[in-house]
Amino acid sequence: MLRVSSMYSMKKSRFCCKSSSSKKRDGISSLPDEIIIHILSFLTPKDAAITSLLSRRWRNLWTFIPNLNFNVNHMARPDPLMRRRAFVRMVSNVLSLHSGQNINKFWICYELDCRSARYIDKWISFAIERKVENLILDLTEEQEIDVDPEMYTFPCFFFSDENALSSIKYLRIAGCILHLPPCFNNLKSLVELSLTHVMVTENELNKLLSSCLLLERFSVGNVPKLVNLRVSGPSLRLRYLEVSDCRSLDNIEIWAANLVSFIYRGRKVNFSLNCVPQLEDAIIDICDSTFDYVANICDHLAFNAPQLKSLGLRIVPLEVNTSLTVFPRLVNLKVLTLLVHESYDTALWYLLRASPFLQLLQVKFLWRLKSPFRTGGCKNIFSGHGTAFTHEFLKEVHMFGFRSRLDDIEFARYLLKNATALNILVIDPFIRYLDGWVEKENKATRKARDEARRLLKEAPANVHLLIL
């Protein structure tokens, strides 16, 4: 009996040791509730709710998370209708159980329309009542879609209520119809605004911009009714502006003294950059441009944006005005990124000449997936101008889509000869197609790499030639 008793006591002591050691190892449970809730806020609501099964203490902690991210990826049902119903039910259930007083981020990302309007209205009201700071309502699919009349209409009464949207600092709306009341001034704290696939008139958009006095970042894309975009205001704090894929857009007028970065992607439009003295970074990606159009843009930038340091341009095969002897000079430009379609262009030569203090040059050759592989229309142009100009400050060059064509080789030789301060020349033989597809290793890339290696013999001792 004594022996059995001693064995029981030994087993009991071992169990107690294991349990005490396991408690020591479970350091997360010893943390304060506030820290655990902060950790749970990085999870999706669905994953955070699963932690309620861990113990009695964890049962309700997830209901206080300040970040609510409801994404289409959370739904695994194959049938679209069932998946939509399950998504609506999941969001409504989570919000009914949520106990937090404040919400930092509220994100709805799912393809919904006016048929779910009464639920979406309740969700937005829930977020606004809890003083949400980051509101994201993305009701579009991942791919681009046309705006249709069945789109969800963002409730107008939210803009009418003076305090409804006063806490929002970041607002992103996608796949919605936006109607604004005649007078509103309740986006008092808004710092960043993004509108994509939105049905809104240009008058309402201009009204919206003029009322956001603290706005620093604004992006607008695929707004079909937008014809004239005017970004102006004496008290405008805007520092970042992005406009993309607005198919009806004809004119862009900018009066923004604090603007630092500007990105435009789309069709050819009339630019009026009247007051952008602090603009340092610009990307202008236009598929249907002409040489005179590129020159006009550079003239605008040279005169109105004297502090411009980084510029990105798309160069299509253009008919160049060879009688042009003076090209606008970008005297403070340090970084130049060029997207070149299928062949070099004389415009590339003019742009290099116009950037005397350039330090970094990136040339990305773009190809259409089904287009023929051509040699280009400005064959050996850099060979002909080999000694005409010296780039005294150019230190680094990246060539993406380098081939074993004479154009590519002569351009590389031109750089090795005329960029006297060049330290790094990166040659990447892989082509990036316009369709987004990146070329894989093949005979052409190996041949291009062999041609690039031959340039090593011509490279000065101070130049590091990197072949990818």
Side-chain angles (χ1 to χ4, degrees):
M1 189 74 179
L2 179 62
R3 185 176 179 182
V4 174
S5 173
S6 61
M7 290 178 64
Y8 172 77
S9 61
M10 290 174 63
K11 289 182 179 180
K12 184 177 180 182
S13 63
R14 288 176 184 173
F15 175 78
C16 292
C17 290
K18 287 183 179 180
S19 106
S20 62
S21 62
S22 64
K23 287 182 179 180
K24 291 180 180 178
R25 285 196 301 267
D26 185 17
I28 192 170
S29 295
S30 62
L31 295 174
D33 289 352
E34 293 78 8
I35 296 180
I36 295 178
I37 293 172
H38 177 71
I39 295 173
L40 293 179
S41 67
F42 293 97
L43 302 177
T44 65
K46 183 178 179 180
D47 292 336
I50 296 176
T51 62
S52 63
L53 303 176
L54 294 176
S55 67
R56 183 177 300 177
R57 185 197 173 195
W58 287 75
R59 184 173 301 169
N60 296 317
L61 288 179
W62 74 272
T63 65
F64 292 90
I65 57 175
N67 297 332
L68 297 174
N69 180 0
F70 300 100
N71 197 291
V72 64
N73 297 325
H74 302 164
M75 297 289 100
R77 297 177 182 270
D79 181 74
L81 181 58
M82 292 181 61
R83 190 164 61 243
R84 185 182 296 110
R85 290 175 177 174
F87 181 84
V88 171
R89 185 165 54 250
M90 179 195 68
V91 176
S92 299
N93 289 340
V94 169
L95 298 188
S96 66
L97 296 173
H98 195 271
S99 305
Q101 297 298 317
N102 296 96
I103 293 179
N104 176 46
K105 181 178 180 180
F106 187 77
W107 186 356
I108 297 291
C109 183
Y110 199 86
E111 184 192 359
L112 299 172
D113 53 30
C114 60
R115 291 172 293 181
S116 305
R118 62 191 182 99
Y119 298 105
I120 302 174
D121 291 350
K122 291 180 181 179
W123 300 342
I124 297 176
S125 297
F126 171 89
I128 290 176
E129 289 173 0
R130 283 157 180 78
K131 304 297 181 182
V132 63
E133 294 186 359
N134 299 269
L135 178 60
I136 301 173
L137 185 64
D138 187 348
L139 307 184
T140 63
E141 294 178 320
E142 292 183 1
Q143 66 270 21
E144 287 191 4
I145 60 172
D146 293 328
V147 180
D148 63 79
E150 293 188 354
M151 294 172 63
Y152 167 77
T153 301
F154 197 88
C156 179
F157 60 82
F158 287 132
F159 293 99
S160 302
D161 188 345
E162 183 177 353
N163 298 316
L165 304 176
S166 59
S167 64
I168 297 180
K169 296 181 179 179
Y170 174 85
L171 178 61
R172 176 185 169 190
I173 300 177
C176 299
I177 298 174
L178 195 61
H179 291 311
L180 302 178
C183 299
F184 74 96
N185 187 26
N186 58 353
L187 291 169
K188 303 174 183 178
S189 303
L190 192 64
V191 176
E192 185 169 349
L193 174 64
S194 174
L195 301 176
T196 310
H197 297 287
V198 172
M199 190 80 90
V200 61
T201 65
E202 60 183 68
N203 290 333
E204 290 177 320
L205 185 58
N206 293 332
K207 185 194 310 180
L208 181 62
L209 290 175
S210 63
S211 67
C212 302
L213 300 181
L214 300 182
L215 191 67
E216 295 183 2
R217 296 176 65 89
F218 174 57
S219 60
V220 56
N222 200 359
V223 177
K225 290 187 176 182
L226 186 60
V227 177
N228 302 294
L229 177 62
R230 190 172 189 269
V231 181
S232 64
S235 58
L236 195 64
R237 295 189 180 185
L238 195 67
R239 296 177 59 83
Y240 175 91
L241 174 62
E242 180 175 358
V243 183
S244 60
D245 301 322
C246 294
R247 290 165 291 182
S248 301
L249 189 62
D250 289 330
N251 302 288
I252 296 180
E253 183 180 357
I254 302 176
W255 294 74
N258 297 307
L259 191 67
V260 175
S261 180
F262 172 59
I263 299 175
Y264 176 77
R265 292 186 174 94
R267 61 194 294 268
K268 186 167 60 176
V269 298
N270 298 317
F271 284 100
S272 181
L273 308 176
N274 297 303
C275 181
V276 286
Q278 298 189 39
L279 186 65
E280 296 182 355
D281 183 10
I283 297 176
I284 301 177
D285 186 355
I286 301 174
C287 295
D288 59 343
S289 62
T290 62
F291 180 73
D292 290 337
Y293 183 77
V294 172
N296 184 55
I297 289 176
C298 291
D299 186 51
H300 254 76
L301 294 173
F303 184 77
N304 294 295
Q307 300 301 320
L308 189 70
K309 298 178 180 179
S310 177
L311 176 63
L313 289 172
R314 179 188 293 262
I315 298 179
V316 300
L318 306 174
E319 290 294 331
V320 178
N321 182 5
T322 54
S323 63
L324 182 65
T325 57
V326 179
F327 194 88
R329 287 170 62 86
L330 304 169
V331 293
N332 285 315
L333 195 68
K334 303 295 188 298
V335 179
L336 178 61
T337 301
L338 301 175
L339 305 179
V340 180
H341 276 250
E342 301 174 356
S343 62
Y344 294 94
D345 194 281
T346 309
L348 177 58
W349 165 251
Y350 279 101
L351 284 168
L352 291 177
R353 291 286 305 267
S355 312
F357 300 103
L358 195 65
Q359 297 180 7
L360 171 61
L361 172 65
Q362 299 182 89
V363 182
K364 302 179 180 180
F365 301 103
L366 300 177
W367 299 80
R368 299 188 187 279
L369 190 56
K370 297 182 180 180
S371 65
F373 191 84
R374 303 185 304 176
T375 57
C378 52
K379 193 173 182 179
N380 297 331
I381 186 172
F382 289 100
S383 176
H385 294 276
T387 58
F389 190 77
T390 301
H391 304 278
E392 301 178 7
F393 299 91
L394 188 58
K395 299 179 180 179
E396 188 171 344
V397 177
H398 295 243
M399 295 178 64
F400 300 94
F402 178 89
R403 300 268 89 161
S404 55
R405 303 178 305 164
L406 185 60
D407 291 13
D408 302 1
I409 297 170
E410 290 298 334
F411 181 49
R413 285 175 175 165
Y414 165 84
L415 293 172
L416 291 172
K417 183 176 181 179
N418 295 310
T420 56
L422 190 64
N423 290 327
I424 298 175
L425 174 58
V426 179
I427 294 181
D428 183 354
F430 294 96
I431 293 175
R432 274 72 175 167
Y433 289 88
L434 294 177
D435 308 70
W437 183 69
V438 180
E439 184 182 29
K440 296 182 179 179
E441 181 75 23
N442 55 52
K443 183 178 179 180
T445 58
R446 289 189 291 270
K447 184 179 179 181
R449 200 178 284 112
D450 291 339
E451 289 290 346
R453 290 193 183 99
R454 293 189 179 95
L455 293 172
L456 286 171
K457 300 178 182 179
E458 305 178 31
N462 62 310
V463 177
H464 300 282
L465 182 58
L466 304 179
I467 304 173
L468 303 181

